[in-house]
Amino acid sequence: MAAPFEAAPFEARLIPASIPPTALHRVVGIGCTLLALGLAGVVPAVYAAHRPALASWLIVAAICAALGMAACLMLRRYTLKLVDAASRMQSDESLRFDTAINNMSQGLCFFDGQQRLIVCNRRYAEMYGLTQDHVRPGTPLRDIVDQRYKVGSCPAITAAQYLLWRASVAVLNQPSESVTELQDGRIFCIRHQPMPDGGWVATHEDITQQRRTQAQIEHMARSDSLTELPNRAHFMERLRELLQPEARGTSLALLFIDLDHFKAVNDSLGHPVGDGLLQAASRRLAACVRQGDLAARLGGDEFAILQVGASQPAAAAALAERLVREIAAPFDIAGHRVSVGVSVGIALAPGDSTEAIELLQQADVALYKSKAAGRGGHQFYRVEAAVE
């Protein structure tokens, strides 16, 4: 990455530097002197032309010159005060501008209609690993983009593709907002505001942490805090999606799962061991499903699996048998050797139902029948079982 900025202030000026006060002083001083000399020569000459016999014109000239010099000195002093005041005002405005844009949390940049940099702030350069030399006024956008690609502050596209994208945004000539992810994983939100000359002003905001926090919140809302499996809300959302009319051509098996004898373990060994058992059982259960299937914890020691697009009922039966076999193997939890079993109830869609709640209820009925049959096995939902 590029070296950080030095401690010297980062000058990003829209207002041109003022004329040095010393030069203005010289100009005003010379002007006043010339004006005084003119008064000293013209006024006596005019007076002498009307009174040629009067020899005292030298006295009049001296008096006029003195008055002219005094007047010019007063004018010079007043003019320089105005110049100094204007210079200070301009300097203050420039300082306020520099302070304002260099204390923004977003990166800010202005480009003209020829895609040349007018000004940018320190944050913009820091975000992309650029130095002051890389972002001097007049630098073409292409050069800045090339430097960004050299230091790795760029999205996963070529520099030419990036410039083409920027050109397409500029051609729209309307405000826009876009989100881009850089190769280093950072995510930036770029807000583009076009200018009348074809240029633009844009703010660049790093929203990486914001997106991560949002993703974490969404994950927490859809995941079980103990096992990290999808929770009931996530499971029901996915079940409803799979039962939509456009997806009904795909076979679906819902396996409702309950750990046998979990309560006895939890009561005898305590909740920490019970929680550890649920976590370990969840890992084994998740290892049994294929990619595209969904395993979830519905609550307590109840779990469920959605098996999608397999040949039914054979695939569901095979999965249930594997679950029974895997969960039956002893667990080592906090120094305790724990053994539990699993019972499974299965309902199929679209054969049994195409309604989410009804399909879940049918799998629950099949689970109850599996437990009644002696636990450690599986049962499919049948209409006659629901009537019994």
Side-chain angles (χ1 to χ4, degrees):
M1 298 292 288
F5 282 99
E6 301 295 334
F10 181 78
E11 295 190 6
R13 300 179 183 274
L14 284 180
I15 305 170
S18 58
I19 300 173
T22 53
L24 287 173
H25 290 180
R26 293 193 189 98
V27 171
V28 173
I30 293 172
C32 290
T33 302
L34 293 175
L35 178 60
L37 293 175
L39 289 173
V42 173
V43 174
V46 172
Y47 184 81
H50 290 80
R51 302 289 298 275
L54 186 63
S56 61
W57 66 271
L58 291 174
I59 298 175
V60 175
I63 294 173
C64 289
L67 291 175
M69 286 296 294
C72 288
L73 288 174
M74 293 178 63
L75 177 62
R76 177 179 181 273
R77 184 178 299 132
Y78 179 72
T79 303
L80 290 178
K81 284 183 178 181
L82 293 180
V83 170
D84 290 341
S87 180
R88 285 194 301 271
M89 182 180 299
Q90 186 181 52
S91 178
D92 290 344
E93 289 178 356
S94 181
L95 178 61
R96 283 193 292 268
F97 174 77
D98 288 347
T99 302
I101 71 168
N102 283 314
N103 282 279
M104 294 174 59
S105 59
Q106 300 92 1
L108 176 72
C109 60
F110 288 75
F111 284 88
D112 62 20
Q114 284 71 48
Q115 298 191 357
R116 295 172 304 193
L117 182 67
I118 299 174
V119 67
C120 74
N121 66 354
R122 183 183 296 110
R123 178 60 180 150
Y124 173 83
E126 290 173 347
M127 289 173 69
Y128 292 110
L130 305 173
T131 66
Q132 283 183 300
D133 289 336
H134 299 142
V135 289
R136 294 197 178 279
T139 303
L141 173 63
R142 178 179 296 275
D143 292 351
I144 295 174
V145 171
D146 287 344
Q147 183 59 36
R148 283 179 48 191
Y149 272 79
K150 288 180 181 178
V151 299
S153 296
C154 53
I157 57 177
T158 66
Q161 290 172 325
Y162 182 84
L163 289 169
L164 185 62
W165 168 70
R166 286 303 308 160
S168 67
V169 173
V171 168
L172 291 176
N173 197 31
Q174 62 184 17
S176 64
E177 180 177 307
S178 55
V179 175
T180 181
E181 182 174 354
L182 304 189
Q183 291 180 346
D184 59 11
R186 290 180 298 161
I187 302 173
F188 289 174
C189 177
I190 304 174
R191 297 178 178 88
H192 171 95
Q193 178 65 47
M195 304 298 285
D197 66 347
W200 68 87
V201 56
T203 58
H204 297 239
E205 182 180 5
D206 188 339
I207 60 171
T208 308
Q209 188 57 46
Q210 176 185 330
R211 284 297 180 93
R212 288 175 180 170
T213 301
Q214 181 181 349
Q216 184 177 11
I217 292 173
E218 292 176 355
H219 175 75
M220 292 172 62
R222 294 162 57 85
S223 300
D224 176 62
S225 59
L226 178 65
T227 65
E228 291 296 316
L229 289 177
N231 59 14
R232 177 182 286 270
H234 186 176
F235 178 84
M236 294 304 296
E237 177 184 318
R238 179 59 177 156
L239 177 58
R240 291 188 176 95
E241 289 176 357
L242 293 171
L243 292 175
Q244 291 295 314
E246 58 270 19
R248 287 180 185 173
T250 303
S251 63
L252 174 67
L254 193 163
L255 288 75
F256 202 166
I257 305 158
D258 186 79
L259 295 183
D260 298 330
H261 310 301
F262 171 77
K263 187 176 185 302
V265 173
N266 199 49
D267 291 345
S268 61
L269 299 179
H271 292 297
V273 174
D275 288 347
L277 176 59
L278 289 173
Q279 291 172 330
S282 297
R283 289 191 291 270
R284 291 188 187 180
L285 186 147
C288 291
V289 302
R290 307 166 307 163
Q291 185 176 1
D293 295 343
L294 178 70
R297 183 190 179 201
L298 302 187
D301 62 338
E302 293 181 340
F303 299 85
I305 293 176
L306 292 176
Q307 188 183 51
V308 185
S311 178
Q312 300 299 351
L319 176 57
E321 291 172 2
R322 183 181 178 190
L323 289 170
V324 171
R325 184 171 60 254
E326 293 293 329
I327 300 298
F331 294 88
D332 291 322
I333 309 294
H336 299 277
R337 192 170 178 81
V338 179
S339 294
V340 294
V342 66
S343 297
V344 183
I346 307 170
L348 303 176
D352 293 328
S353 178
T354 56
E355 297 296 328
I357 298 298
E358 185 177 23
L359 194 68
L360 188 62
Q361 291 173 341
Q362 291 170 344
D364 191 23
V365 169
L367 174 63
Y368 177 80
K369 186 177 180 181
S370 176
K371 285 180 174 292
R375 302 175 186 272
H378 70 276
Q379 293 288 333
F380 282 90
Y381 172 78
R382 294 195 304 271
V383 176
E384 59 270 19
V387 176
E388 293 175 359

